[in-house]
Each structure stands twice: as structure tokens, then as C-alpha cells.
Amino acid sequence: MKSSVWTKFAVGFLSAFYPVAAQADAITAEDLQVEAEIPNNGTNMAFGHNALWVASGFSVLRIDPSDNSVQEVALKGASQKQRRLLIGPKSVWIADVGANTLFRIDSKTGETLLAFPAEMSSSSGSIAVGADSVWVVTAENFERMLSRFDAITGAVQAQIDLPEIGFGTAFAGGHVWVSSGRKDEIYRVDPDNDMLVQTIATGSSPRLMVDAAGSLWVHTIGDGAVQRIDSETGEIVATIDADLPLGAGEIVARENGVSLSTPYQLQFLSIDASTNSVVMRVTGRQGAEDHAAGAGSLWLGGSKIRRVVPPQ
């Protein structure tokens, strides 16, 4: 991830059918209060279990926010081609596409608790944990397969055919969700019977998704928007025209909504779940490939990791 500049703005309520364009008040890079700089690459990271976790190729890093110290733990047999790191119950998960292996890391010690095989093709996606299982889009039928593995043993529990190539995976509202940017759809799978029970038409190219504030949030990278979906019914309840640069980006669950970062001239954007509006925005000549929030700080990744005071 790369450094960038900040912007702050607010927009009105954006419904699923009548999106409203965003307006912003600029904040410059000089307005950022940097607490610390950590000289480690931060292009795949997440905050959880009282630490910042970073997938770093052949190892995983645990950064202690109390002193910003870095613990590096080697991942035996790992490669440098990995999907988005996932924080799970008492564990951190890494889907290593190059090694075709899923790693479960102990969140207290950093020890590898489990490593088991899973055939994967694309590294540009995410995995999910829920219902005592880990859910992964695997390589079968050209990535039109959702595989369910036991989260404790790694045993294959089920394989669910998908109508189209899967990408992002999330667990929300007691269901598994898989995005397919190729058809502008999201698929809902019932973990009680491992059946695909709903197909939802979305905005252009849905990518990564998160469970936050009682909803499923989807970044549609083809139109620069974010859609909020009722995770009980599958109904799209809001479409936020976030004016995001088109293309790849990361979405992160926050206590009161979600935030996003992209590598294209947008480092950070925050959406308030109470109003479905963008309430904070950071821009610059370069973007950020990832970000995280925790321990009262905002963590901005890139060729190095910057810990900053969240702008108000």
C-alpha cells in the first residue's frame, strides 16, 4: 500500500434505487497525525485479537499496538500469493493460493495450528469463517465451486456448485455469501443444508464483502459504489454512490459502519451505517492497497505501515 492524502465529507441518505452523488471537503496530508511508522510491507492486513496482523509472503506478522513491536512467524511451505487475510474466532486465517494451502494461526501465540490443502486459482479474493467451517472458492469447474472445510480438522464437509465464477466470500446473518463480478450477482448459501438459496442482482462487478452493523456490505468496483444488503432477506436496502475510483479496493468492517481503501488516489473512506452516508474521505496522488482500524488508530498500509490518529 502506498501513502496518500485525506478528505472529509458527508452525503445524504442513498437508497438502493436512487443513489446520490457524494460531495467532499478536502483534508491535506499535512492534517494527518502520524503516531508511528513500521518499516514492513502492509498490502494484506487486518486488526483483531488485540493486534495488527499482516500476511507477509512466507510469514505472518503480529504487530503489538502497545509498543508497535513486530513478531514474525514463519509459515512453513507458504508462498507469496495469498488471498485476503481473515480474522476468525481465536484464529487468523491465510489462504495461500501459491501453496494451495489454508493456514489457521493461533491468535495468542502466532503458532500455526492447522495447515490443509485446498486447490485455488485466483489470489484476488477472500474466504469466510462461520458455522464452525471455513468457506473457500476453490479451483474446481474454473472457480465455480464453494468448498466447505471443517475449521478444526480441515476435512472437506461439502462442495456447492456456483452459477458463475466466485470471488469474494463472507459470512453474515447466518448465511454464506459469494460475489460474482462476472455476472453482477451475489449468491446466498444456507449452511444448514449447503444449498444455494438465493441469487441477488447487484451493481457493477461486486467484489469484496463484509458483515458490519447487522448487514452485508458489498464494494461494486465497476461503478465505484457500496451496496448494503439485509443479511436476513437478501434485499438491497441502500446503494451508496461513494465516488470511489473504479477498480480494486479493500472493505473493512467498523463498529459503526464500513471503511474502504483503494490503490488509486483514495487512501481511506468511511461510511456511517446510521445514515448510509460517507462521513470521512482521504485522497492523494497515490492510494492505499489496504487499511485496518484498531487500538484507537487507523493503520494505513503500503511499502510501510503508518499508524495515524483517525481524523474527526
Side-chain angles (χ1 to χ4, degrees):
M1 298 181 203
K2 300 166 184 147
S3 56
S4 22
V5 190
W6 291 81
T7 323
K8 183 179 181 182
F9 71 101
V11 296
F13 176 80
L14 301 157
S15 74
F17 305 103
Y18 303 101
V20 181
Q23 300 295 324
D25 295 327
I27 297 176
T28 67
E30 288 72 23
D31 294 320
L32 289 176
Q33 182 180 342
V34 179
E35 299 176 288
E37 290 189 347
I38 301 163
N40 294 92
N41 186 293
T43 58
N44 185 2
M45 60 188 193
F47 196 96
H49 307 299
N50 300 312
L52 180 71
W53 297 86
V54 183
S56 182
F58 306 110
S59 62
V60 61
L61 308 179
R62 182 187 184 277
I63 300 175
D64 187 338
S66 67
D67 57 7
N68 299 316
S69 60
V70 180
Q71 174 192 5
E72 183 172 3
V73 180
L75 295 176
K76 186 177 180 180
S79 75
Q80 292 183 306
K81 186 180 179 183
Q82 296 157 344
R83 292 184 185 174
R84 185 152 179 76
L85 179 149
L86 175 69
I87 304 294
K90 299 182 181 179
S91 303
V92 176
W93 290 87
I94 295 176
D96 194 305
V97 176
N100 284 315
T101 301
L102 290 175
F103 294 94
R104 182 164 66 91
I105 313 300
D106 187 290
S107 61
K108 289 186 177 180
T109 66
E111 174 189 2
T112 299
L113 299 175
L114 183 67
F116 59 92
E119 291 290 328
M120 297 172 281
S121 297
S122 172
S123 60
S124 299
S126 58
I127 63 175
V129 171
D132 300 321
S133 303
V134 56
W135 305 79
V136 184
V137 172
T138 49
E140 294 88 346
N141 195 21
F142 302 100
E143 297 188 295
R144 292 177 175 85
M145 184 68 70
L146 177 65
S147 294
R148 178 179 188 172
F149 300 92
D150 187 288
I152 302 300
T153 67
V156 178
Q157 297 175 306
Q159 289 194 303
I160 300 103
D161 289 316
L162 300 172
E164 191 47 87
I165 294 172
F167 189 86
T169 308
F171 196 91
H175 290 87
V176 187
W177 305 81
V178 182
S179 63
S180 178
R182 189 165 180 171
K183 291 194 70 175
D184 298 342
E185 294 177 337
I186 292 176
Y187 309 121
R188 180 161 65 123
V189 173
D190 187 341
D192 290 337
N193 56 22
D194 297 321
M195 298 290 291
L196 194 156
V197 295
Q198 188 178 18
T199 297
I200 303 158
T202 67
S204 178
S205 299
R207 192 174 184 267
L208 296 180
M209 306 174 290
V210 293
D211 176 21
S215 300
L216 179 74
W217 301 75
V218 187
H219 177 200
T220 53
I221 66 172
D223 53 20
V226 176
Q227 292 190 296
R228 181 177 186 174
I229 297 176
D230 187 316
S231 56
E232 296 293 332
T233 66
E235 177 189 1
I236 297 176
V237 296
T239 295
I240 298 97
D241 181 7
D243 195 26
L244 289 160
L246 305 186
E250 309 296 344
I251 184 168
V252 173
R254 304 289 296 277
E255 182 178 353
N256 58 346
V258 297
S259 55
L260 296 95
S261 58
T262 83
Y264 311 114
Q265 299 181 323
L266 175 67
Q267 190 156 349
F268 178 77
L269 178 152
S270 181
I271 297 174
D272 188 333
S274 65
T275 60
N276 292 324
S277 63
V278 180
V279 293
M280 187 184 301
R281 187 180 182 90
V282 180
T283 61
R285 289 177 299 172
Q286 296 177 321
E289 295 176 28
D290 207 353
H291 71 285
S297 299
L298 180 63
W299 306 77
L300 303 173
S303 58
K304 61 183 176 182
I305 299 169
R306 289 192 303 159
R307 180 178 184 176
V308 304
V309 176
Q312 301 299 315

